[in-house]
Amino acid sequence: MDGRFKGQSIWITGASSGIGRALALGFAREGAHLLLSGRNVDALVETAESCGGAETLAFDVADAAALPEVAAEALARVGTLDMLCNNAGVAQRGLALDTDMAVYRQLMEVDFFAPVQLTRLVLPHMVARRRGAIINNASVAGKFGSPTRAGYCAAKHALIGWSDALRAEIAQYGIAVHVLIAGFIRTDLGANAIIADGTPAGPGQTDAEAKGLPVEEAVEMIIAGITRGRREIPVGRPDATEMVTLALKNTDPEQLFDLMVGIAPREPRKRD
């Protein structure tokens, strides 16, 4: 199959659903050789079959002790790795005042430490080859803080900062680092979010999520951005509220801060 990524080996985490699954389908259409990872084995196999027979490697990114062995197996499977897509993640809903410390640690483990660890484990391979690409799926939440997502915002801010620093260091080896700045996408990320006590939020979407960008359009933007060499790739319609808010962070941060205060949940007033 001809395509922009024909013959390239791409490892995608979080590939059993959402953006990860759609990315797998998109890269498959572009002729890439895929290694797909996730926790849900059945869903992972279904995604692989939909891609025309991609390989699978199931694991939990939160199991930090297992990651060295997982990365070694991934490299053994693909032989040469052209791209790592760090897509696995967990979202959050809950007020900072109510959120357990264990939830903050879980968010950092999955959304920050796991992509850092996996990247570190495959980088020597890419450095030796003097080529490669790292795709880190961040979010507009990594650009500005929004109410009820303090831990998620913290993890995504950390991921963007680390990615920017890493990019500067490894450019000399011909390795690219692309960061996805995604707005609201129509996936099940919100339903799989954890709340203040660490339990799943459960089924249901916010209005913003329900009206978000179709995941197929998001993947078209992502693949086009990678192809063009964009180091930071906005993923969302320019007129979408979250993307307009993102622009506001640069043009008028004080207005943005006031806006976030205005949308934060309010404690019910006590009546006499």
Side-chain angles (χ1 to χ4, degrees):
M1 178 188 293
D2 291 332
R4 289 171 286 184
F5 294 88
K6 182 180 180 181
Q8 291 195 33
S9 294
I10 302 176
W11 183 17
I12 304 174
T13 68
S16 56
S17 64
I19 291 179
R21 183 182 189 279
L23 268 177
L25 294 170
F27 279 126
R29 288 191 294 269
E30 296 290 342
H33 170 69
L34 300 174
L35 176 61
L36 308 180
S37 292
R39 292 183 302 168
N40 187 325
V41 175
D42 291 340
L44 200 60
V45 169
E46 190 278 328
T47 299
E49 291 174 349
S50 298
C51 290
E55 294 191 61
T56 63
L57 176 58
F59 72 99
D60 184 353
V61 296
D63 186 358
L67 297 190
E69 184 176 343
V70 167
E73 182 174 350
L75 292 173
R77 292 266 204 100
V78 300
T80 57
L81 181 64
D82 295 292
M83 185 185 300
L84 167 64
C85 293
N86 285 309
N87 180 75
V90 60
Q92 173 208 15
R93 294 177 186 168
L95 296 173
L97 284 171
D98 300 331
T99 301
D100 291 343
M101 197 63 207
V103 171
Y104 286 112
R105 294 186 185 281
Q106 180 180 354
L107 289 162
M108 291 299 293
E109 192 66 53
V110 174
D111 292 339
F112 177 62
F113 289 121
V116 168
Q117 174 79 329
L118 288 174
T119 300
R120 290 181 65 253
L121 290 166
V122 304
L123 272 181
H125 171 82
M126 292 183 175
V127 169
R129 297 181 65 225
R130 290 299 195 268
R131 61 176 297 179
I134 305 296
I135 317 298
N136 285 332
N137 190 353
S139 163
V140 293
K143 290 291 191 177
F144 59 87
S146 57
T148 73
R149 293 173 172 84
Y152 183 67
C153 291
K156 293 301 186 180
H157 272 74
L159 183 60
I160 291 175
W162 184 78
S163 299
D164 289 348
L166 177 69
R167 181 188 300 114
E169 294 179 13
I170 64 176
Q172 62 186 305
Y173 304 115
I175 303 170
V177 178
H178 305 275
V179 176
L180 311 182
I181 309 298
F184 288 110
I185 312 296
R186 291 183 209 167
T187 70
D188 55 3
L189 181 67
N192 293 327
I194 53 177
I195 60 175
D197 63 0
T199 57
Q205 291 180 316
T206 65
D207 288 342
E209 290 166 344
K211 297 175 182 177
L213 187 71
V215 70
E216 296 80 10
E217 291 184 31
V219 166
E220 289 177 7
M221 291 181 177
I222 293 167
I223 291 179
I226 295 170
T227 302
R228 294 169 186 157
R230 295 198 63 175
R231 288 167 282 195
E232 192 167 274
I233 304 172
V235 185
R237 297 190 184 97
D239 60 348
T241 300
E242 69 275 13
M243 306 311 284
V244 173
T245 306
L246 176 61
L248 193 61
K249 178 65 180 289
N250 295 323
T251 60
D252 193 343
E254 288 297 321
Q255 183 180 350
L256 170 64
F257 300 148
D258 288 339
L259 176 63
M260 293 299 106
V261 170
I263 67 174
R266 290 288 183 271
E267 183 179 351
R269 292 184 178 180
K270 295 181 180 179
R271 295 184 178 179
D272 296 335

